[in-house]
């Protein structure tokens, strides 16, 4: 069974840092692009970042560029999101998702259960 | 900063057919990029419902169907059931090098 399990969320003060992890199982992790998608409380979905199979290409939504870093460890079947200079507007449930399809027509399937990040003083 | 617009809500009685629109622009749907749809049941993670405009993943009932034309796409749910009550999101790619989601639509079964 394909499974994605996020961890690392919690309460952090504005300006602080947090590192999210996503443990993948049930598929060949190194063969897929991976993504982080977030959802603010009561709001819609927002794509955050993508990373290529070997980590050589990374893309980010403008609002997190320079603050967030996506990375992966294929030996550990793990995806990460290092979040620095956190702001109140970064408060959200962060989902890890596997990317399907090819460039220009990619979708997210499956999704993890999500981990809540709360940025507040 | 959703660039794909959906109606906030749609509703229908059990057994009826409802449709959800997803309107984009020439930089995303109108540029030829495919549209995908997700269902998010209350308190759960999103689930892929339709990919590549009209394809259903294994296990998704054929009551769900998708289509795309010009700068818009649509999701139709026929034979509406109580278990279909959820939030639905469209998603596509934008030429600004980003994945984009729709604003989301809440489906209510009357």
């Amino acid at each position: 069974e394909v499974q994605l399990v996020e961890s690392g969320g919690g309460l952090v003060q504005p300006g602080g840092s947090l590192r999210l992890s996503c443990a993948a199982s049930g598929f060949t992790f190194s063969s897929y692009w991976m993504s982080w998608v977030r959802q603010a409380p009561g709001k819609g979905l927002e794509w955050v970042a993508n990373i290529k199979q070997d980590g050589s290409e990374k893309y980010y939504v403008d609002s997190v560029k320079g603050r967030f870093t996506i990375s992966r460890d294929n030996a550990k079947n793990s995806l990460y999101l290092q979040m620095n200079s956190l702001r109140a507007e970064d408060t959200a449930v962060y989902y890890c998702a596997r990317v399907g399809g090819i460039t220009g027509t990619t979708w997210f399937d499956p999704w993890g259960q999500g981990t809540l990040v709360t940025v507040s003083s | 900063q959703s660039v794909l617009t959906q109606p906030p809500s749609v509703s229908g009685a059990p057994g009826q057919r409802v449709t959800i629109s997803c309107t984009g622009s020439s930089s995303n749907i109108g540029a030829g990029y495919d549209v995908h749809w997700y269902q998010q049941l209350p308190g759960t993670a999103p689930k892929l419902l339709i990919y590549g405009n009209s394809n259903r993943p294994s296990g998704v009932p054929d009551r769900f169907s998708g289509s795309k034309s010009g700068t818009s796409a649509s999701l139709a749910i026929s034979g509406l059931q109580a278990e279909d009550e959820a939030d639905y999101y469209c998603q596509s790619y934008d030429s600004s090098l980003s994945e984009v989601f729709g604003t989301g639509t809440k489906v209510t079964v009357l």
Side-chain angles (χ1 to χ4, degrees):
Chain A
E1 177 194 5
V2 175
Q3 195 170 15
L4 299 170
V5 179
E6 301 94 336
S7 61
L11 175 63
V12 61
Q13 292 188 338
S17 298
L18 211 55
R19 188 196 195 205
L20 305 183
S21 298
C22 171
S25 60
F27 66 100
T28 305
F29 180 73
S30 59
S31 295
Y32 290 86
W33 282 74
M34 296 294 296
S35 282
W36 288 98
V37 178
R38 67 184 179 183
Q39 185 171 35
K43 302 298 184 181
L45 301 170
E46 180 182 39
W47 168 77
V48 174
N50 275 1
I51 185 169
K52 193 176 180 179
Q53 290 92 331
D54 61 359
S56 62
E57 292 182 36
K58 304 174 184 181
Y59 300 94
Y60 301 90
V61 67
D62 285 347
S63 59
V64 308
K65 285 179 182 175
R67 300 188 300 121
F68 289 12
T69 302
I70 188 172
S71 63
R72 63 192 298 162
D73 185 335
N74 288 339
K76 295 183 178 180
N77 290 336
S78 293
L79 177 71
Y80 307 101
L81 186 67
Q82 177 66 43
M83 303 185 296
N84 298 330
S85 302
L86 282 162
R87 307 166 180 168
E89 53 264 37
D90 295 318
T91 294
V93 174
Y94 285 74
Y95 295 102
C96 161
R98 187 179 71 177
V99 178
I102 58 175
T103 301
T105 180
T106 54
W107 55 85
F108 306 107
D109 179 56
W111 301 55
Q113 86 289 350
T115 188
L116 176 62
V117 172
T118 303
V119 183
S120 175
S121 55
Chain B
Q1 58 179 70
S2 299
V3 297
L4 304 180
T5 302
Q6 300 178 230
S9 64
V10 299
S11 62
Q16 284 190 330
R17 181 177 187 270
V18 297
T19 61
I20 301 170
S21 60
C22 173
T23 303
S25 68
S26 58
S27 65
N28 39 70
I29 300 175
Y33 296 115
D34 286 347
V35 177
H36 322 291
W37 291 90
Y38 302 87
Q39 177 192 58
Q40 186 174 31
L41 297 169
T44 69
K47 168 193 165 186
L48 181 66
L49 202 60
I50 297 286
Y51 67 95
N53 303 318
S54 59
N55 301 292
R56 285 185 308 276
S58 174
V60 173
D62 59 7
R63 303 184 292 103
F64 295 93
S65 62
S67 63
K68 173 193 157 184
S69 178
T71 58
S72 296
S74 292
L75 173 72
I77 310 173
S78 59
L80 194 64
Q81 300 182 3
E83 66 205 50
D84 299 332
E85 194 158 283
D87 293 326
Y88 293 81
Y89 294 91
C90 59
Q91 175 244 322
S92 186
Y93 182 80
D94 192 274
S95 54
S96 61
L97 296 183
S98 66
E99 306 288 349
V100 290
F101 284 95
T103 49
T105 298
K106 181 176 181 60
V107 170
T108 301
V109 182
L110 301 172

